[in-house]
Structures are given as C-alpha cells and as structure tokens.
Amino acid sequence: MEEFSGTGGHLDFGRSLSLGSNPALPLRPGSTPTPGLRYKNLGKSGLRVSNVGLGTWPVFSPGVSDEQAEAILKLAIESGINLFDISEAHSETEIGKILQRTGWKRTAYVITTKVYWSTKSEERGLSRKHIIESVKASLQRLQLQYIDIVIIHKADAMCPMEEVVRAMNYVIQQGWAMYWGTARWSQVEIMEAYTNCRQFNCITPIVEQSEYHMFCREKCELYLPEMYNKIGVGLMAWGPLSMALSDAQNGEKIFLPKGSFKTKSHSYSWTEDEVNRNAALSPQGSWNKERMEEGRRHCDRLKDLAALAEKLGCTPSQLSIAWSLKHEPVQCLLLGATSAEQLHQSLQSLQLLPRLSTSVMLELERILENKP
C-alpha cells in the first residue's frame, strides 16, 4: 500500500491508491486479525484492550436479527476485537445468550456495561443502593461471574461523591467487577472522584467514555490528555459515525448532523432548552438565520471531506474513523454495526492510518477549521 504523501506543503493526490469504482475498501475472504489493530493499556491500568471496540447498541437494535447480531460478534472476535461495550439491559440479555452459545473463553473478551440513572424513574441518582442493584442485575442478564469495567453514566450532583466511589469500591472488592470508569463526566467531576478515592483509600476510575469525532473535539483533545497524565484516566471514544457522513460521493446524499454548530467544540446533543435560550437572547429571526448560514458552511465542509475521502480511496465514514484513531489520546474507539459487512468495512479504516500523513492531516484541519 503506497503512502499518501505531500510535496512542498501541498497535497499530492497522484500517488493515492484507488480501490476500484466502489470507494469502500474490499471485503476480504475469510476472517483473520485485522491489519492495523493494536492493543493498548486502558488508562494507566494493566488491562489491555484493542484500539477498536464494538459498541453493541446498534447490534441489537430493531431490524437486526439474532443471526446477524451473532455474526457481528463473531466477526469482531475473529478480527481481533476484544472489547464489547453494552449500553442497555436488552443488549445485556442478548449478548449473554450469545456468549453462552459460543463458549468463548472468558479471558478472550472484555465486557463494559453501564449504570444509568434517571430523575424520572424509580432508579434515581447514584446511590449505593442503585449502583449495587444495577450491577447485580447486569450480571444476571449477562450470565457472567464478573464484569470487566462498570461505567457510571453521568455524574449525580445530588449524591455525595464519597458514596459513589465507596459503592464502586465495594462492587470491585466483591468480585462483581474488575475496574470502573465514567461516561460523560466533566474533568472537574472526574478529578473530584479521584480525590475522594485517594482520601478514602478506594479504587480509582481508569477510563472516561466520551464523544469524539471531527466536529466534537475540545474535551478529548484539551482536557482528557491532561487527566491521563495526572491521574491515569484513559479515553474510550465514541461517535465517529454520528457525523452522518454519507458514503455517497456526489454530494447529493450528505446529511447535516442533528445539532448546533455555533461553536467549534459543540456536541450534537443540543436540547430544546438550548434552542429556546438562544432564541430568547437573539433578535427575532436572527438566530435561525445564523444557524442556517452555519449549516450551509458545515455542508460545504462535509462535501470537501467527501472529496478528500474519494481521493484517498475510501468512504467519508472510513476517513472519520481513521482520523479519530490517528489521535494518540484515543486508547479505544467504539464502533457500531448492523451487519457483519458494515463492521468489516469500518475495520478497513485501520489500513488508512499510514496514509494519513502530516500533509493530509493539515488538509483536514484546513477543511474543518475547528482545532481547539
């Protein structure tokens, strides 16, 4: 595979490798460990995980049959992926059945699952009661003796941090989990948890799960690397396919992602409250005009990214995945799939990494204009 290179500070597309009329990288016969797959320590723990993990929420979504879901998990294992991230109770039940049927060695895979909480349900907050009950219920659904990493999804301002870290320490001491981590926590909340762990002699979190892609960068590029250096919390990223980059290259099927583009670091998870707040602070109609104008600029960026992907001989989605993996702080990137072929095509992004040279990365920065 020839390296994609630049000359004199300008991109040289003459040497880019064409992969046929279909921009997707070809499906290889058979199942072998994926070229480019690497294993890294998660945070500063001794747990080694593949640099690509399987997010199982789309795997067990409506429309995906049991046979398709099992084929996706089998392809993941055969390709060298050793981490499965679980996001809901239904997924735990289904993956538990598959694990029992396949009989894979427990040492061959890492399971991460989450403790959720909602202010609108009986399972309110991150009390010791809720955390322990959630972990025990997950173990029953998964039909496993232990979970590798329990992720606390969102911090709870109404629950003392001491109670959260003591509960997680108890869960690990009981052998129900090996490690714990966080998801969608701010750097202040992560540091508070670490400080409480040190104060009360509890086991510290090893990972933060955070959104990271070409249009959501600030937290993962500015703050989480500092967290890793100071307290050993690693980064498990998700979201490279949430950009809604189409695989079409004629520009007609490039969709705008749902979200606000008012700042370079804004996530796509904007809410009705934010819309109402911005509308109230802006003159009548001006906010909508600004949003439409920013949307047009964003659409131009997506078209430029699609054109660059075509010259690299890949899809925009594959370029997005490779770009995320190129950043050193990302220790594990979660990918989702609704078919084995989709997962395979996503894994081929690993072969793009040698071609993302300095000149290509600079061209991407010129297109994105959002480096934090």
Side-chain angles (χ1 to χ4, degrees):
M1 183 180 293
E2 294 186 67
E3 177 142 356
F4 189 81
S5 63
T7 56
H10 298 287
L11 287 173
D12 175 15
F13 294 111
R15 299 179 60 204
S16 63
L17 180 64
S18 172
L19 295 168
S21 57
N22 184 350
L25 292 158
L27 190 68
R28 297 195 315 273
S31 297
T32 57
T34 306
L37 199 73
R38 299 288 182 267
Y39 297 87
K40 298 181 177 181
N41 286 51
L42 193 57
K44 291 188 178 178
S45 74
L47 182 65
R48 292 184 66 79
V49 299
S50 50
N51 59 347
V52 170
L54 181 66
T56 60
W57 178 77
V59 175
F60 299 105
S61 59
V64 180
S65 67
D66 293 345
E67 292 76 15
Q68 286 176 309
E70 186 167 339
I72 293 169
L73 264 68
K74 284 183 176 179
L75 176 60
I77 286 286
E78 291 165 357
S79 299
I81 292 174
N82 73 343
L83 186 140
F84 298 137
D85 179 70
I86 306 172
S87 297
E88 56 183 14
H90 171 68
S91 298
E92 289 179 336
T93 302
E94 295 304 315
I95 199 171
K97 293 176 182 177
I98 293 174
L99 293 175
Q100 291 298 313
R101 284 198 300 269
T102 56
W104 292 324
K105 288 184 178 180
R106 185 63 184 88
T107 54
Y109 55 87
V110 172
I111 294 290
T112 73
T113 193
K114 298 178 179 65
V115 172
Y116 285 98
W117 63 275
S118 171
T119 58
K120 298 179 181 179
S121 72
E122 293 179 356
E123 299 175 341
R124 291 188 177 92
L126 292 177
S127 66
R128 180 185 178 93
K129 170 182 169 65
H130 176 47
I131 288 174
I132 292 174
E133 287 176 347
S134 295
V135 171
K136 293 176 77 172
S138 291
L139 286 170
Q140 282 189 326
R141 289 188 290 263
L142 288 164
Q143 303 178 61
L144 295 175
Q145 292 184 333
Y146 66 90
I147 298 163
D148 295 280
I149 311 172
V150 173
I151 303 287
I152 303 292
H153 187 266
K154 294 187 178 179
D156 179 10
M158 301 301 292
C159 183
M161 188 63 74
E162 179 187 350
E163 182 170 350
V164 176
V165 300
R166 283 188 183 276
M168 290 311 305
N169 193 67
Y170 177 79
V171 165
I172 293 173
Q173 287 183 335
Q174 293 301 306
W176 301 333
M178 298 291 132
Y179 305 90
W180 75 284
T182 57
R184 307 186 98 170
W185 285 36
S186 70
Q187 56 269 27
V188 174
E189 291 164 340
I190 296 170
M191 185 58 76
E192 183 185 356
Y194 177 83
T195 303
N196 274 266
C197 286
R198 287 303 186 201
Q199 181 179 352
F200 301 112
N201 197 28
C202 295
I203 297 169
T204 59
I206 66 166
V207 67
E208 159 68 6
Q209 216 175 75
S210 184
E211 182 178 10
Y212 182 57
H213 47 72
M214 289 179 176
F215 300 102
C216 182
R217 303 176 59 179
E218 187 172 29
K219 177 182 176 182
C220 292
E221 292 187 22
L222 292 186
Y223 305 118
L224 289 183
E226 183 182 5
M227 291 285 100
Y228 173 76
N229 291 328
K230 285 185 175 180
I231 62 176
V233 172
L235 169 59
M236 188 182 295
W238 57 272
L241 300 182
S242 70
M243 294 164 49
L245 284 172
S246 170
D247 286 346
Q249 297 193 2
N250 57 11
E252 294 176 359
K253 294 183 179 180
I254 295 179
F255 304 101
L256 283 175
K258 182 180 81 172
S260 171
F261 313 124
K262 293 186 72 62
T263 66
K264 63 185 178 183
S265 61
H266 211 293
S267 168
Y268 295 145
S269 55
W270 58 277
T271 63
E272 184 180 355
D273 292 338
E274 181 192 340
V275 174
N276 294 337
R277 183 175 68 251
N278 283 313
L281 294 174
S282 303
Q284 185 67 27
S286 65
W287 183 75
N288 285 334
K289 290 179 182 178
E290 291 175 8
R291 184 175 173 79
M292 290 177 64
E293 179 60 30
E294 179 60 24
R296 279 192 290 268
R297 289 196 297 269
H298 190 81
C299 191
D300 290 339
R301 294 187 192 106
L302 294 180
K303 290 178 180 178
D304 289 342
L305 288 172
L308 179 58
E310 184 176 13
K311 291 174 181 177
L312 282 166
C314 66
T315 68
S317 293
Q318 288 171 330
L319 177 59
S320 168
I321 295 168
W323 179 90
S324 297
L325 285 168
K326 188 73 173 178
H327 289 78
E328 190 63 28
V330 177
Q331 293 167 342
C332 182
L333 181 68
L334 298 176
L335 302 179
T338 55
S339 69
E341 183 173 356
Q342 183 187 6
L343 175 60
H344 189 95
Q345 297 295 352
S346 295
L347 286 174
Q348 302 316 297
S349 306
L350 292 162
Q351 297 182 37
L352 281 174
L353 290 172
R355 283 185 277 162
L356 293 186
S357 60
T358 302
S359 55
V360 177
M361 295 300 286
L362 287 173
E363 175 66 4
L364 283 166
E365 292 295 355
R366 184 195 65 78
I367 294 170
L368 296 173
E369 298 180 314
N370 66 351
K371 187 176 179 65

